[in-house]
Amino acid sequence: MVAKVYIVYYSMYGHVEKLAQEIKKGVESVEGVEAKIFQVAETLPEEVLGKMHAPPKTDAPIITPNELTEADGVLFGFPTRFGMMPAQFKAFLDSTGGLWRTQALAGKPAGFFYSTSAQGSGQETTALTAITQLVHHGMIFVPIGYSFGAGMFEMEQVKGGSPYGAGTYAGDGSRQPSELELAQAFHQGKYFAGFAKKLK
């Protein structure tokens, strides 16, 4: 049977979305595993988004809480807001109370990927503070650790990500994920897919 990995993200300026697309490639590089990308609903009005110069959303489908039960594993991605996930993603997870009540997601592997504006802006705390969501659902947190190898120790160029998961730096919004950051995202997808396949 094919294992299904859902990649669920929120991205205001497209940085997390780019990581999601690369993670999808990594997942699908593993035989017997398929990936599907979703985004969570936006909670800000168009007027506010316009003032923030946010580009239009992609055509990725908006996920509903019950759709999470169809997945054999889930990777959640979001930018940071003061070291934590943004309100848009928290609003989605707050809507999963029915799944929590029945423990419908218990035993499913899950992981995180993220974007921050700068070094020291939450490359670890954004994932760390999100783990509580998985714990209450009984999900299994799958970090990448240092499995990315030499890329984890890169010192010659700025690189997002951590043992918690793939990441990127957005800076003022103009910086895009680097080749190394995209490679780490691909690795996370491939690495995570192996877990989902085994647990399936």
Side-chain angles (χ1 to χ4, degrees):
M1 293 180 66
V2 174
K4 297 179 182 178
V5 171
Y6 283 6
I7 301 163
V8 183
Y9 75 88
Y10 173 76
S11 188
M12 180 172 285
Y13 296 106
H15 299 82
V16 174
E17 193 268 335
K18 286 185 177 174
L19 293 181
Q21 293 292 346
E22 205 63 27
I23 285 172
K24 183 176 186 286
K25 294 177 187 176
V27 170
E28 293 179 337
S29 72
V30 177
E31 185 178 356
V33 186
E34 63 180 29
K36 189 170 183 180
I37 288 183
F38 297 88
Q39 58 184 325
V40 302
E42 180 59 77
T43 59
L44 293 175
E46 287 297 328
E47 181 183 1
V48 173
L49 291 171
K51 291 179 179 178
M52 297 175 74
H53 307 291
K57 300 296 183 186
T58 68
D59 59 0
I62 304 296
I63 194 164
T64 62
N66 286 338
E67 285 177 297
L68 291 176
T69 64
E70 302 167 0
D72 297 302
V74 187
L75 284 166
F76 298 109
F78 34 77
T80 190
R81 293 294 184 271
F82 304 115
M84 298 183 290
M85 68 175 67
Q88 292 89 338
F89 213 94
K90 184 61 165 60
F92 169 71
L93 291 174
D94 284 349
S95 72
T96 62
L99 301 180
W100 163 77
R101 196 174 302 110
T102 60
Q103 286 295 282
L105 303 179
K108 293 182 185 289
F112 301 117
F113 58 102
Y114 39 81
S115 170
T116 69
S117 62
Q119 298 179 69
S121 295
Q123 287 285 317
E124 291 194 348
T125 61
T126 302
L128 180 61
T129 54
I131 290 175
T132 58
Q133 310 295 314
L134 307 186
V135 169
H136 284 265
H137 278 291
M139 301 181 85
I140 303 167
F141 177 49
V142 181
I144 60 171
Y146 283 82
S147 62
F148 188 47
M152 296 297 293
F153 299 94
E154 172 59 41
M155 299 296 285
E156 299 302 317
Q157 61 175 296
V158 173
K159 182 192 79 67
S162 74
Y164 290 89
T168 187
Y169 291 117
D172 61 2
S174 61
R175 182 185 186 275
Q176 296 300 312
S178 68
E179 289 301 314
L180 186 58
E181 289 169 338
L182 292 174
Q184 187 176 42
F186 181 94
H187 170 76
Q188 181 174 16
K190 183 177 181 179
Y191 184 78
F192 184 84
F195 275 89
K197 184 176 181 179
K198 288 177 184 176
L199 290 175
K200 174 73 171 178

